[in-house]
Amino acid sequence: MPSQCLRNFFGGRTGYFIGFLASFGFVAYGLYIQQRYNLDPCPLCIFQRIAFLVMGGFILLSALHNPGNTGRNIYGVLHFAAAVTGIGIALRHIWIQANPEKVMAECGAGFDYIFETFPLKKALDLVFKGTGECSAMDWTMFGLTIPQLSLVAFIGLAVYAVWLAFLKK
């Protein structure tokens, strides 16, 4: 009986709205940390936020559409793809923080200058190589840096996306 209650609760729009609130909640918390501790987000932090927003947008679209079984699977793939993209960005950021000496040797211009000066493809290539800004570890919670916390959140959202996709009402 409890299993059926969980299916009814998470199997419809409510489950999607919870995922939407979680995705946008992570962005809101990131903005809170930024304002509270006067931190400037690095380029990879910004891209992680974008990945959370894209995933949240897909989940909100799912909630509004309230799909059947096939649609739930299609949306699940979109949710999972957004989460995996975020996982990749977070892993790159964690690697940069663990190897700042390698990144500092390649360090170039700042985020704003890169996007104002270079074509989009070249700018994105430069951003994902990382900048000195990305190697800074200015804030931690439970001993984890922001990209490490983002990685945990993206993994949780990826698992949640798969669970929602296969959850039968």
Side-chain angles (χ1 to χ4, degrees):
M1 191 61 111
S3 174
Q4 186 60 36
C5 289
L6 285 175
R7 275 189 197 146
N8 289 338
F9 185 75
F10 287 102
R13 291 184 171 164
T14 306
Y16 288 122
F17 278 122
I18 290 170
F20 165 75
L21 291 174
S23 293
F24 278 76
F26 291 129
V27 174
Y29 192 64
L31 291 171
Y32 168 76
I33 293 167
Q34 176 182 338
Q35 294 301 314
R36 172 76 170 86
Y37 298 100
N38 199 26
L39 302 173
D40 288 328
C42 74
L44 292 178
C45 289
I46 292 169
F47 281 112
Q48 287 171 67
R49 287 181 188 177
I50 291 170
F52 279 123
L53 291 172
V54 168
M55 183 164 188
F58 284 146
I59 294 175
L60 179 61
L61 187 62
S62 304
L64 296 174
H65 182 223
N66 197 21
N69 290 338
T70 303
R72 206 169 27 250
N73 292 335
I74 292 169
Y75 282 122
V77 169
L78 293 173
H79 304 159
F80 188 76
V84 168
T85 300
I87 287 169
I89 296 167
L91 285 171
R92 174 68 177 155
H93 198 169
I94 292 166
W95 182 88
I96 288 170
Q97 287 185 335
N99 300 287
E101 66 286 343
K102 293 180 182 176
V103 175
M104 293 306 260
E106 303 171 1
C107 231
F111 185 71
D112 292 336
Y113 178 79
I114 289 172
F115 276 96
E116 289 172 6
T117 307
F118 295 101
L120 183 60
K121 184 180 180 330
K122 177 70 174 170
L124 290 174
D125 287 342
L126 291 171
V127 166
F128 280 105
K129 283 184 181 173
T131 67
E133 300 167 344
C134 294
S135 64
M137 290 186 253
D138 298 328
W139 187 86
T140 61
M141 184 168 84
F142 308 122
L144 299 173
T145 64
I146 293 172
Q148 291 169 336
L149 291 167
S150 292
L151 177 63
V152 170
F154 280 121
I155 290 170
L157 287 171
V159 169
Y160 189 69
V162 170
W163 185 67
L164 283 178
F166 290 107
L167 187 66
K168 304 292 183 219
K169 210 170 178 188

